[in-house]
Amino acid sequence: MTRHTTRAVLGTGAVLLASTLVLAGCGSGFSGDDDAATDSEGLTSSDDGLTVLIGSSGDAETEAVQAAVDAWSEESGTDVSLQVASDLGQELSQGFAAGEPADLFYLSTDQIAGFASNGSLQAYGDQLSNKDDFYPSLVENFTIDDTFYCAPKDFSTLALVINTQMWTDAGLTDADIPKTWDDLAAVAQTLTTADHVGLAFGAEYQRIGTFMAEAGGGLVSDGTAVADDDANVEALAYVKSHLEDGTFAFAKDVGAGWGGEALGKGAAAMVIEGNWITGAMSNDYSSVGYTVAELPEGPGGKGTLQFTNCWGMAADSPNQQAALDLVEYLTSADSQLAFSTAFGPMPSIQSASEAWTADNPDLAPFLAGAEYAQFPPNQDGATDVIADFNAQLETLKSGDPATILGSVQTNLEAIVE
């Protein structure tokens, strides 16, 4: 097992922005854009500068994006104004309602369907010169009704993060890193003591969904709701059994707000978390050594979840061609690797994977998950369905998996089918 000590990574730009939006209709366009021309690809072009709106994880992310847009601006001769939102969802909605949205903006998977349906977004994905370089599953995240809307800007996956001291103290070695559910149950039991639980994770689909994926299930498949599939019942039953025997626990039940806190405070020997955990371990729990491993296989094979945002483009932007050029610059290997160094996300393009892995060898299991990761449903209304699912998962220890999933199935069918 590779011993990993914390390093200076300040966070991730791929944190899911899960605010619930009241989506306003697309406005009539920017004032003063009458001189904008439209090219053969349907993109507007003008002398206007660009406005970019982001939801930042902190100073490191803001400064990195600012440096990138400044460099592009100097090369292109197009002015760029970077704005950092305090409430990205609200500010996006307000901009669309006023007919003056930012040209480019961070857009999460739970937002895209609503904004696409009311005409707020420009679908430019197929016009990207690097479109074939993005991980296919990330492209699928931002594809609505067979239309690829926007470039994934980066992403994160979930993996197993292990406290190396607790692992060693329990007499475990590299050979014991769990490869199957049976292995995971065994090491969780070995690691559980009166002071800490073997494995902890959030009481939410965004963590427990990994077990569903490993069982061969999920929430939506080929446009069909499949929440009540037997594989999902098996997954929740497995989690429930180990919540009951005390070797698994929800983070909140061990006095932690999330998995990273549970690991950092010593309340859990293992957690299921994303690569954003590196920032917390570096900044808040720098004395805790940890290692990262791929999640063990379930009855359906390997499985994990991924989270991402894209560079959304406004349908009302008067200078979409320049915006497209900027997106291609921001999603290039050089830019994405610089972002990764600055604030931690993984590049969304496959051509950067070798360089990223060389720079982050101890975090390679996160990137390995890109080959088999599922993503949360991106249908309009999915946010509310998952919120209800999460509320029910909090009672999983005493609840019935089939009943919970039957309720989710009904709710999903209402928005998917």
Side-chain angles (χ1 to χ4, degrees):
M1 178 168 59
T2 302
R3 299 300 187 261
H4 182 86
T5 54
T6 54
R7 63 190 185 86
V9 178
L10 299 179
T12 176
V15 173
L16 190 65
L17 298 170
S19 46
T20 301
L21 303 177
V22 177
L23 299 176
C26 182
S28 59
F30 290 119
S31 59
D33 64 357
D34 293 340
D35 293 333
T38 302
D39 64 17
S40 60
E41 295 180 328
L43 299 180
T44 59
S45 180
S46 70
D47 294 330
D48 292 59
L50 299 177
T51 299
V52 178
L53 180 67
I54 68 172
S56 179
S57 61
D59 291 344
E61 180 170 359
T62 301
E63 291 167 5
V65 177
Q66 184 70 68
V69 298
D70 285 348
W72 178 85
S73 181
E74 184 174 354
E75 288 183 11
S76 67
T78 300
D79 292 334
V80 181
S81 172
L82 180 67
Q83 300 175 356
V84 180
S86 57
D87 185 329
L88 182 61
Q90 181 182 61
E91 292 177 40
L92 280 176
S93 292
Q94 290 172 341
F96 287 129
E100 295 185 353
D103 299 273
L104 290 175
F105 39 85
Y106 285 6
L107 187 67
S108 62
T109 55
D110 63 331
Q111 297 169 318
I112 185 171
F115 282 138
S117 67
N118 65 26
S120 296
L121 303 180
Q122 176 69 27
Y124 68 87
D126 287 335
Q127 295 165 30
L128 290 161
S129 62
N130 59 344
K131 69 176 182 178
D132 293 332
D133 198 9
F134 294 102
Y135 288 98
S137 60
L138 296 179
V139 172
E140 190 177 353
N141 268 242
F142 298 107
T143 297
I144 304 295
D145 295 332
D146 298 322
T147 299
F148 177 27
Y149 269 82
C150 49
K153 73 178 191 67
D154 51 37
F155 76 113
S156 296
T157 63
L158 299 175
L160 188 68
V161 188
I162 302 167
N163 180 308
T164 52
Q165 188 62 56
M166 291 180 179
W167 187 267
T168 301
D169 289 347
L172 298 170
T173 68
D174 291 0
D176 297 306
I177 293 177
K179 303 299 183 185
T180 67
W181 278 6
D182 286 344
D183 294 343
L184 182 64
V187 296
Q189 183 175 28
T190 299
L191 289 164
T192 298
T193 71
D195 298 321
H196 58 257
V197 72
L199 175 66
F201 41 84
E204 56 185 352
Y205 158 74
Q206 290 88 342
R207 299 296 180 274
I208 297 173
T210 58
F211 294 99
M212 296 164 61
E214 291 155 13
L219 290 180
V220 177
S221 177
D222 296 327
T224 300
V226 293
D228 62 355
D229 187 87
D230 289 345
N232 295 324
V233 176
E234 182 178 9
L236 293 199
Y238 172 80
V239 174
K240 173 183 169 68
S241 69
H242 294 297
L243 292 172
E244 290 175 335
D245 69 24
T247 59
F248 292 5
F250 292 142
K252 65 182 181 62
D253 292 332
V254 294
W258 65 295
E261 184 181 3
L263 190 75
K265 288 185 173 181
M270 303 182 293
V271 297
I272 297 172
E273 274 301 338
N275 46 294
W276 51 78
I277 197 175
T278 57
M281 300 306 291
S282 295
N283 296 327
D284 301 325
Y285 309 109
S286 58
S287 64
V288 178
Y290 67 96
T291 193
V292 180
E294 289 183 70
L295 291 167
E297 295 186 22
K302 291 185 175 183
T304 189
L305 298 182
Q306 69 182 22
F307 306 96
T308 182
N309 291 296
C310 79
W311 287 106
M313 183 187 298
D316 279 354
S317 170
N319 201 358
Q320 293 166 342
Q321 183 57 62
L324 178 68
D325 293 343
L326 176 54
V327 169
E328 291 180 341
Y329 182 89
L330 294 172
T331 57
S332 67
D334 287 346
S335 292
Q336 292 207 54
L337 289 170
F339 292 154
S340 180
T341 298
F343 58 96
M346 296 189 298
S348 59
I349 53 173
Q350 298 171 84
S351 61
S353 62
E354 185 174 342
W356 186 88
T357 301
D359 290 342
N360 304 276
D362 294 338
L363 304 180
F366 286 117
L367 189 59
E371 298 299 323
Y372 50 83
Q374 293 184 8
F375 58 90
N378 61 0
Q379 287 81 8
D380 193 15
T383 300
D384 293 336
V385 173
I386 291 175
D388 180 73
F389 186 18
N390 289 345
Q392 296 188 70
L393 284 173
E394 292 186 1
T395 66
L396 177 60
K397 185 175 179 179
S398 60
D400 176 58
T403 300
I404 292 172
L405 291 165
S407 171
V408 179
Q409 177 72 16
T410 299
N411 292 337
L412 269 179
E413 287 176 349
I415 66 167
V416 173
E417 301 172 14

